[in-house]
């Protein structure tokens, strides 16, 4: 709204960014009697949680598994409050992932600890001690649900803190030990080199700095059906939350690019868009890229030692932010055999690694996305999604200085994917109908995420600890600036449930400031989800990927 235009007694909030965190903040703001307006630079909601389309195929960019798909836990409660799962079927798999070595050996990471243990012992009986240790800890994690998402620690009452302590204490030694043991150290103890390389790829790609804890937690969630794939995929999730938001009376504007946050007397009072228009509110929430928010929108005037260390030092340190990613979608005429694994990480040979442009980990993830959700491919057809971590700087340099070579490298990726799939699924190459390649610069152009990072700060690093401090000590605010808060992956951590939870947290802090009780309730929409709810899907790059005859 313009200043003093249609001013009501309801607190007004402007939210920068229509990703999951921004939409969640908007939903909770509306539930608590505020007038909110979400400003999104793209033409779709969701940020990285998105999809696009070509020739009837839907290229789902984000969700591989979603924490909170089973009832009875705090993550699921948030999704129900946001309407994210309304009317949707959930797909679950018996394995988390499969890893295949250069020599064809494979390991399947079943989420059932008994089945996993038997399978691993068949592969390497000599590693019984390591295998039984991992599966024993997995059984312990099956009985735990102590990862809170509903309320930030500073707002917990003493009884709530004591109740949490009672839940955590029995598992405190387990948490300490599995968070102190790096996966690289654990996997390095295997006598079978293949198992040693396979274990870090449970999460499809090697997260390098992760300890055992997140692996055990997520596999345990999958065992309970609490890490499934929702019908409609990534954009379907975002559209459902958008519907919930507008149904609560919220307003969202697309193609709304913010130039700066307006500040008067050290208080945020609104934003100025790139078209010159100004919009005012009692409170501004930024749910977009952290560096852009602090140093561009606010000119770097409101920082602290922790913030400066995050964005001046750690942001540029290797292994602190999640890498960017190359995605290759391959649409195929015909269906794959029903026993085709839904997800496989292939450990690449030196020859394959040399042929794949700027591959970082000598591995390629191949997912049969049409098994996740049939609606992502036309009837009777299949869709593969091939991904690998890659260097943002390489692709940015190409796209900036030599656009012709940039497209040539994208074609090289497409050709590689075609040949690679043909080797693993003979006959597929002749049935390929469409190939679409998204590079790290694609992510950066459409979301503004620093260096095209897919999840912001990497968990279990110094940066993750400092970002947590922004929640627990600064209450998601910047020092010296009133009327302003931050939400999203650069504050709350990577992962969709953490993004949604950060939107809840930021409104809870705002309610405390305003002296009003926080309210939230679950959506009651039980209408079955339909593919047309995705709305119009754009084509991000209209130039098709031409495949060479030699590939």
């Amino acid at each position: 709204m313009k200043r003093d235009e249609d001013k009501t007694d309801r607190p007004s909030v402007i939210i920068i960014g229509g990703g999951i965190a921004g939409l969640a903040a908007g939903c909770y703001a509306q539930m608590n009697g505020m007038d909110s307006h979400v400003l999104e630079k793209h033409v779709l909601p969701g940020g990285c949680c998105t999809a696009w389309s070509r020739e009837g195929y839907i290229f789902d960019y984000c969700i591989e598994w979603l924490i909170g798909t089973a009832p009875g836990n705090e993550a699921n409660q948030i999704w129900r409050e946001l309407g994210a799962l309304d009317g949707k079927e959930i797909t679950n798999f018996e394995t988390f992932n499969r890893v295949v070595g250069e020599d064809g050996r494979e390991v399947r990471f079943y989420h059932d600890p008994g089945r996993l243990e038997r399978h691993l012992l068949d592969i390497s009986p000599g590693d019984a001690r390591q295998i039984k240790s991992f599966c024993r800890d997995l059984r312990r994690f099956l009985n735990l649900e102590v990862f809170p998402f509903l309320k930030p620690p500073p707002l917990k009452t003493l009884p709530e803190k004591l109740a949490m302590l009672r839940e955590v204490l029995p598992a405190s030694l387990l948490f300490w030990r599995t968070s102190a043991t790096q996966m690289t150290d654990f996997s390095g103890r295997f006598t079978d080199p293949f198992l040693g390389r396979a274990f870090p790829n449970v999460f499809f790609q090697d997260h390098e700095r992760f300890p055992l804890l997140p692996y055990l937690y997520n596999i345990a969630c999958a065992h309970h059906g609490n890490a499934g794939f929702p019908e409609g995929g990534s954009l379907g999730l975002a559209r459902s939350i958008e519907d919930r938001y507008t149904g609560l009376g919220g307003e969202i504007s697309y193609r709304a690019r913010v130039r700066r946050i307006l500040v008067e007397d050290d208080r945020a009072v609104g934003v100025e868009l790139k078209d010159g228009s100004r919009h005012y509110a009692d409170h501004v929430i930024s749910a977009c890229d952290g560096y852009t928010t602090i140093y561009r929108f606010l000119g770097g005037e409101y920082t602290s030692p922790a913030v400066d260390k995050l964005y001046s030092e750690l942001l540029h340190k290797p292994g602190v932010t999640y890498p960017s990613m190359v995605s290759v979608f391959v649409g195929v005429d015909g269906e794959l055999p029903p026993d085709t694994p839904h997800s496989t990480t292939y450990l690449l040979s030196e020859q394959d690694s040399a042929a794949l442009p700027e591959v970082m980990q000598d591995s390629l993830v191949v997912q049969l996305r049409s098994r996740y959700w049939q609606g992502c491919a036309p009837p009777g057809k299949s869709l593969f999604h091939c991904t690998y971590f890659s260097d943002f700087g390489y692709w940015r340099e190409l796209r900036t200085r030599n656009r012709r070579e940039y497209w040539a490298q994208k074609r090289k990726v497409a050709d590689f994917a075609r040949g690679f799939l043909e080797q693993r699924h003979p006959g597929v190459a002749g049935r390929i109908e469409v190939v679409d390649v998204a590079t790290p610069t694609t992510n950066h152009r459409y979301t503004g995420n620093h260096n095209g990072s897919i999840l912001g700060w990497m968990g279990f690093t110094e940066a993750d600890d400092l970002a947590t401090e922004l929640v627990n000590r600064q209450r998601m605010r910047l020092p010296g600036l009133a009327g302003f808060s931050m939400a999203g992956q650069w504050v709350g951590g990577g992962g969709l449930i953490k993004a949604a939870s950060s939107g809840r947290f930021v409104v809870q802090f705002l309610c405390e400031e305003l002296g009003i009780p926080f309210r939230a309730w679950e959506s009651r929409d039980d209408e079955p989800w339909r593919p047309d709810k995705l709305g119009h899907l754009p084509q991000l790059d209209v130039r098709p990927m031409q495949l060479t005859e030699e590939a």
Side-chain angles (χ1 to χ4, degrees):
M1 68 176 70
K2 301 294 191 293
R3 172 159 287 186
D4 299 325
E5 180 182 293
D6 300 324
K7 181 68 176 172
T8 69
D9 292 333
R10 292 162 58 94
S12 57
V13 182
I14 284 176
I15 301 167
I16 306 171
I20 299 302
L23 291 173
C27 287
Y28 290 115
Q30 293 299 129
M31 290 186 214
N32 286 279
M34 306 175 197
D35 290 326
S36 65
H37 186 184
V38 172
L39 303 172
E40 168 56 42
K41 64 180 287 188
H42 193 20
V43 297
L44 294 174
C48 289
C49 189
T50 191
W52 59 100
S53 177
R54 183 160 300 131
E55 299 182 26
Y57 293 92
I58 297 173
F59 304 141
D60 191 285
Y61 185 68
C62 177
I63 298 177
E64 294 173 312
W65 77 92
L66 183 70
I67 297 297
T69 52
N73 57 83
E74 294 193 2
N76 182 260
Q77 181 176 332
I78 288 178
W79 295 131
R80 295 295 176 188
E81 291 170 352
L82 298 177
L85 305 178
D86 285 353
K88 296 177 179 178
E89 299 287 337
I90 304 297
T91 299
N92 292 290
F93 300 101
E94 64 181 9
T95 61
F96 207 94
N97 189 32
R98 180 179 74 137
V99 180
V100 176
E102 303 97 311
D103 58 359
R105 295 181 69 198
E106 69 171 64
V107 58
R108 299 186 181 222
F109 287 99
Y110 298 101
H111 54 65
D112 177 82
R115 190 174 183 184
L116 175 62
E117 184 173 313
R118 292 190 297 272
H119 174 63
L120 294 175
L121 287 173
D122 285 342
I123 293 174
S124 181
D127 285 307
R129 182 176 180 180
Q130 284 291 94
I131 292 167
K132 290 182 178 180
S133 170
F134 185 85
C135 294
R136 183 170 54 248
D137 284 342
L138 178 56
R139 290 184 179 94
R140 292 167 176 162
F141 268 83
L142 294 182
N143 300 317
L144 298 176
E145 179 50 55
V146 290
F147 291 84
F149 296 106
L150 291 178
K151 198 171 189 179
L155 295 184
K156 287 184 180 291
T157 64
L158 181 59
E160 288 172 333
K161 291 178 180 178
L162 291 174
M164 182 67 183
L165 191 61
R166 284 194 295 271
E167 290 185 41
V168 170
L169 274 178
S172 57
L173 181 60
L174 177 66
F175 288 152
W176 175 82
R177 180 169 50 79
T178 57
S179 63
T181 304
Q182 292 295 111
M183 173 55 88
T184 51
D185 295 333
F186 178 83
S187 61
R189 298 172 194 154
F190 282 97
T191 60
D192 185 328
F194 171 60
L195 276 189
R197 289 187 64 195
F199 256 81
N201 289 283
V202 172
F203 289 169
F204 313 123
Q205 277 124 343
D206 183 356
H207 287 64
E208 296 180 345
R209 295 172 182 264
F210 270 18
L212 284 179
L213 189 150
Y215 293 91
L216 294 162
Y217 169 70
N218 282 276
I219 296 175
C221 285
H223 182 75
H224 293 305
N226 198 38
F229 186 87
E231 186 180 10
S234 303
L235 184 57
L237 190 87
R239 285 294 194 196
S240 292
I241 302 175
E242 178 194 41
D243 286 346
R244 173 70 163 153
Y245 174 59
T246 56
L248 289 165
E251 180 183 0
I252 185 165
S253 297
Y254 293 105
R255 301 184 188 275
R257 301 175 67 93
V258 172
R259 175 182 291 153
R260 64 189 180 107
I261 294 170
L262 301 174
V263 178
E264 295 179 0
D265 299 324
D266 293 324
R267 182 176 188 87
V269 297
V271 299
E272 180 180 282
L273 302 186
K274 290 200 172 181
D275 64 7
S277 63
R278 294 188 171 191
H279 303 262
Y280 294 90
D282 300 317
H283 200 90
V284 176
I285 297 173
S286 180
C288 62
D289 180 70
Y291 184 91
T292 300
T293 296
I294 296 168
Y295 295 98
R296 283 181 48 198
F297 294 165
L298 288 167
E301 295 186 13
Y302 300 94
T303 65
S304 66
V307 170
D308 284 333
K309 184 170 185 177
L310 270 173
Y311 289 101
S312 298
E313 176 185 336
L314 296 180
L315 186 66
H316 310 289
K317 187 176 179 180
V320 176
T321 60
Y322 280 91
S324 51
M325 187 170 69
V326 172
S327 284
V328 191
F329 294 96
V330 182
V332 177
D333 184 20
E335 297 182 355
L336 276 292
D339 61 347
T340 304
H342 75 285
S343 178
T344 301
T345 298
Y346 290 96
L347 306 179
L348 300 178
S349 65
E350 291 185 12
Q351 181 180 0
D352 280 340
S353 291
L356 189 57
E358 204 62 23
V359 60
M360 289 178 61
Q361 293 187 342
D362 299 330
S363 63
L364 179 71
V365 181
V366 177
Q367 296 178 335
L368 184 55
R369 299 297 280 190
S370 43
R371 283 201 61 201
Y372 289 67
W373 167 49
Q374 292 182 351
C376 69
K381 301 178 187 293
S382 303
L383 179 64
F384 286 100
H385 185 200
C386 308
T387 59
Y388 64 92
F389 285 152
S390 191
D391 177 55
F392 174 78
Y394 168 82
W395 294 100
R396 178 182 57 186
E397 178 76 10
L398 276 183
R399 193 174 188 279
T400 302
R401 299 186 178 276
N402 191 339
R403 191 69 60 88
R404 184 185 296 274
E405 181 60 21
Y406 173 76
W407 281 99
Q409 290 302 301
K410 288 186 69 171
R411 286 192 296 272
K412 188 175 180 181
V413 172
D415 291 343
F416 181 93
R418 179 191 182 194
F420 194 85
L421 291 175
E422 174 64 21
Q423 291 175 14
R424 275 79 191 167
H425 306 280
V428 158
R431 296 187 281 124
I432 292 177
E433 296 185 323
V434 61
V435 179
D436 191 277
V437 178
T439 73
T441 62
T442 310
N443 182 313
H444 181 260
R445 283 159 53 210
Y446 289 97
T447 69
N449 272 353
H450 176 78
N451 283 359
S453 174
I454 56 174
L455 288 170
W457 303 117
M458 183 167 281
F460 304 95
T461 63
E462 182 182 4
D464 184 43
D465 293 339
L466 286 174
T468 300
E469 182 179 316
L470 294 178
V471 177
N472 294 342
R473 293 188 180 180
Q474 301 296 332
R475 300 193 171 208
M476 304 173 83
R477 295 166 184 158
L478 294 176
L481 181 61
F484 176 79
S485 303
M486 292 178 66
Q489 61 187 13
W490 295 101
V491 179
L496 292 177
I497 185 55
K498 287 187 176 181
S501 180
S502 77
R504 199 179 200 270
F505 284 5
V506 79
V507 175
Q508 286 174 302
F509 283 130
L510 183 53
C511 285
E512 182 204 36
E513 178 183 318
L514 296 173
I516 59 178
F518 176 81
R519 299 173 63 238
W521 58 90
E522 293 186 6
S523 169
R524 296 290 182 257
D525 184 0
D526 57 1
E527 179 185 355
W529 191 86
R530 305 184 313 274
D532 66 324
K533 290 189 176 184
L534 289 179
H536 174 69
L537 278 76
Q539 296 185 11
L540 295 193
D541 287 313
V542 296
R543 180 184 294 194
M545 285 287 98
Q546 298 295 332
L547 301 172
T548 65
E549 294 297 326
E550 294 79 12

